[in-house]
Amino acid sequence: MQGTVDGFSYGAVTPVAAYIMACLGAALGLRCVVRSVYNERSWKPGWLAMGACSIGCGIWTMHFIAMIGFRVKESRIHYDVGLTVLSLVVAVAVVAVGVFAVGYRGVSTATLCSAGCVTGLGVAAMHYLGMAAIQLNGYIRYDMAVVALSVGIAIVAATAALWAAVSIRGFLTSLGASLVMGVAVSGMHYTGMAAVGVHLHGTTGGTFTGESPMSMLLPMLIGPVIFLLLAGVVVMFDPMLVLGEGDWDRSAVRRREGPRQPWRADRPDVPPQHPDDSADSLFAPAARRAHRQPQSTGHRIQRW
């Protein structure tokens, strides 16, 4: 018997909320990757790991918020906790592979294509692993042509996201890229859901009783959502976020040129470099003034 599938049992609430979470995860992930690539003094592994976790949690949260609205009218639905948690681990791990590859090896065509394929396949694996966690009075069948289309969308979306992560520096452009990525991730999800068909064992109304999908999924979503909020606080209060593109470029030029030479009497045109005179020192102006003050020799100069 064919079951009646409804992916929008709460109307537009679940798709809109899922899209917002996908955009939030993408925005935070892109900013973290940009922070690690264009500021050499940052702790690159930490920022890349935060970016991977943000994007992975955003994709996973988007999926299961959307699944809150999934219903089969003739059967109850339950979720296997182990497979649900495993899908989160897979999402973060495969996104980390792509993010670290691009973060350390750059945006060469070969690196971008390979990392995008791995990440896209991982996102698709997360989606269908999450679908495998569904337990109902029957089994799920897929239209393989639509499944292949959803995998292709995932690969294109992942490749575009990785390219944007290392190619787009401005805040507004990163925000626009995250909105586009949210559309791609949501499109991949609902394309995959369009491939779903449910074959029921009978019309008994299901064998699962007790908790509803919402009462089970909402507590599991709390952890990733809290992580995204904390990551948002870290990103928003990071001082590099408020610097313009020119400031990042000048900082990179100073690091490439190396420290300035100390002042010499035969080279008065070369400015002195005080030990505390750095771009990030709040006391640099005071340090320069103190350095330029003539040093007392301990002898009083008699004026005639």
Side-chain angles (χ1 to χ4, degrees), residues 56 92 96 116 137 141 191 223 268:
V92 174
N137 184 36
R141 295 181 299 184
T191 301

Coordinates of all heavy atoms in Angstrom, one line a residue, residues 56 92 96 116 137 141 191 223 268:
G56 N 28.5 22.5 9.1 CA 28.0 21.2 9.3 C 26.7 21.2 10.2 O 25.7 20.6 9.9
V92 N 29.6 17.2 9.9 CA 30.7 18.0 10.4 C 32.0 17.5 9.8 O 32.9 18.2 9.4 CB 30.8 18.1 11.9 CG1 32.0 18.8 12.4 CG2 29.5 18.8 12.5
A96 N 34.5 19.4 7.2 CA 35.9 19.7 7.7 C 36.9 19.3 6.7 O 37.9 20.0 6.5 CB 36.1 19.0 9.0
G116 N 35.2 20.0 -3.1 CA 33.7 20.2 -3.3 C 33.0 18.9 -3.5 O 31.9 18.7 -3.0
N137 N 5.7 2.3 9.9 CA 5.1 1.0 9.5 C 5.1 0.7 8.0 O 4.2 0.7 7.3 CB 3.6 1.1 10.0 CG 2.9 -0.3 9.8 OD1 3.5 -1.3 10.0 ND2 1.6 -0.2 9.4
R141 N 11.0 4.2 -0.3 CA 11.6 4.0 -1.6 C 12.0 5.3 -2.3 O 11.4 6.3 -2.0 CB 10.6 3.2 -2.5 CG 10.3 1.8 -2.0 CD 9.3 1.1 -3.0 NE 8.0 1.8 -3.1 CZ 7.0 1.4 -3.8 NH1 7.1 0.2 -4.4 NH2 5.9 2.1 -3.9
T191 N 14.7 18.6 -2.9 CA 14.8 17.8 -4.1 C 14.9 16.3 -3.6 O 14.3 15.4 -4.2 CB 16.1 18.2 -4.9 OG1 15.9 19.5 -5.3 CG2 16.2 17.3 -6.1
G223 N 21.4 21.4 21.1 CA 22.9 21.5 21.1 C 23.5 22.2 19.9 O 24.2 23.2 20.1
P268 N 68.6 59.1 8.4 CA 67.6 59.8 9.1 C 66.2 59.6 8.5 O 65.2 59.8 9.1 CB 68.0 61.3 9.1 CG 68.8 61.4 7.9 CD 69.6 60.1 7.8

